[in-house]
Amino acid sequence: MEKEAGNILLKTVGLEIGFKKASGRKNISLIKDISLAAGRGKLIALIGRNGSGKSTLLRTLMRLQPQLSGTILLANRDIENYTRRDFAMQTAFVSTEALSTGNLSVYELVSLGRFPYTNWIGKVRREDRELIDSSLEKVGLTDLRDKMLAEVSDGERQRAMIARALAQDTELLILDEPTAFLDLPNKYEVIRLLKDLAAQGKTVIFSTHDLNMVIDQVDKLWLMTETGIIDDSPEALIENNAFNSLFPGSTLSFDKGRKQFVTGM
Amino acid sequence: MVKTINTSQGYRFLPLFIMALLVLLLFLLDVFIGSVNIPFGESLKILAGGSSSSHEWEVIIFSFRVPRALTALLAGMALSVSGLQMQTVFRNPLAGPYVLGISSGASLGVAILVMGFSPLLLSASASSLGDWPLVIAASVGSALILLLIFAVSVRIKDIMTILILGILFGAIATALVGVMQYFSNESLLKSFIVWSMGSLGNITMHQLRILLLAILAGMLISGASVKLLNAFLLGEDYASTLGVNIKSARALVFLSTSILAGSVTAFCGPIGFVGIVVPHIGRMLLRTSNHAFLLPGSILIGSGLMLISDIISQLPGSDKILPINSVTALLGIPVIIWIILKKKRITQ
């Protein structure tokens, strides 16, 4: 667990995630009793099998779906006690959902990140523009700012979505599989970008299947196993052979020296 | 996003300006053209407030043509803005002002009035029913369906479910109308069918004032929703993480859509295709989905398209008038087919 208790941004206490059913029917519980902590300025990867509840966890943390029980604390405050706008000023999200619009410019997309801050008609003021420009610069899209989303590559679009989240100017950034559907150079590019953002003080939590790629980069891993979520540093997890509990019943095993999975027992 | 000084947005003001000029031209053309031939110069003189050599011409211009052209202008913008909002909120390029079942509800209201109640009245009064009962019946009908949708939309999260329920409610209303048509007599059936063909010409100056007020109210709500609509472009999850209260935002958009589409339907009958087609033309011409531009764009294109439809429906040079609904269908359907065939290029 996290040692520096005073510097915790996000914390879950006895959290149970799953799907709420209409009254009278039983809720579907996915994982019970989750206790996780994310320190300020940390880069955290959420690892787990398909269907293990990664998206459900991240969506619950983002208030996109209700938890079944337990508490989520953001800056020591129950997330249910935030107004929508305050919460949007604290947390930003990049989901796996593909954008259905290609008819916005990169700049227009990123400027939507200023939504919680702008007035009723969404007028972008000077300080908003500065943040939009710096967000574009951080993800390296300054030159493409006037391009339409339909005209840029998948990797560029993903970076534009991240820039939109940056323009939201939040302490916490949560991304659901930001490296999915990207080719190798783009995957590295996105992970490097997330690492930079964490180094600049943002708390970044992202789910991924690319364990090999992130294990040397992240501060912590949230490992979803059949018995619950393990929250620890990559070194400690390797030491405790925790990765072997990730894919029970498969022929994959974790090679400590090479820091990656190998087949065969 | 309004007033952003940005190279990608500056050039969008010019098309809007040109569109506004075109709408003005089409409006004048619509006033000049009609079954009675009034010389161009005389029409201009009458419009400018001068006296004309013929009193009859003044009456024609002010009592018939101007209200008619204004109705076309208002109906076009209202239906287009409704369609735009529905396409954005439902994230469906083929959604339109009537997906919530508004027109079916209005039809049911009118059908109940024309075919259900009229036989109780003296047979002579059936044909002399004024416009007012019709308008009220249509409004009540669409409001009923709308209340249903509202009730559903607060309980149901999934937007596609709401879309399907809207279609189903509409289908129920249509089925009930069918039953009433089957049991009604010929002359009543005819007055219902005439209403359902749509008309821009049956509106008095007094009614026009009410339509104008309703559309102003609807447009004010739409204008205030520009920021919300832009957030909806990213999908409801993203809108939610940006701080949007999805259910109340949806309710706001449904409210303005029903005021806009409902009032036009009540006065002019259900007018098809304009609301679906115009937002696509807007996205194509303005090359953006940003509602700060697309909303005024849809207002202008919708007005223009409706004026063109009205001009065509009067069959210049003849004294016959085509039903407006057929004209908008004949103009709109090819555009929709073209949209479907070019689907790769249409994005929201």
Side-chain angles (χ1 to χ4, degrees), chain B residues 74 77-78 81 214-224 256 260 295 299:
Chain B
L74 290 173
M77 66 172 75
V81 168
I215 287 174
L216 263 180
M219 286 293 174
L220 277 178
I221 303 175
S222 298
S256 60
L260 291 169
L295 191 82
I299 288 175

Side-chain angles (χ1 to χ4, degrees), chain A residues 59 84 88 93 95 97 100-101 103 107-109 111 115 118-120 122 146 148 151 161 164 168, chain B residues 1 6-9 12 91 227 231 233-234 237-238 241-245 283 287-290 347-348:
Chain A
R59 290 173 56 84
R84 285 171 206 283
F93 187 53
S95 82
E97 193 190 359
S100 68
T101 176
N103 221 348
Y107 185 90
E108 282 172 319
L109 174 74
S111 64
F115 189 96
T118 54
N119 66 2
W120 64 276
D146 292 337
M148 294 315 239
E151 299 168 353
M161 288 308 289
R164 184 205 56 86
Q168 221 170 314
Chain B
M1 309 236 264
N6 173 333
T7 47
S8 75
Q9 303 199 353
R12 286 179 192 141
R91 297 223 275 163
K227 182 178 162 175
L233 283 177
L234 303 181
D237 277 356
Y238 276 121
T241 64
L242 284 170
V244 175
N245 181 342
R283 286 187 202 99
R287 285 198 73 230
T288 186
S289 291
N290 183 350
T347 42
Q348 303 217 342

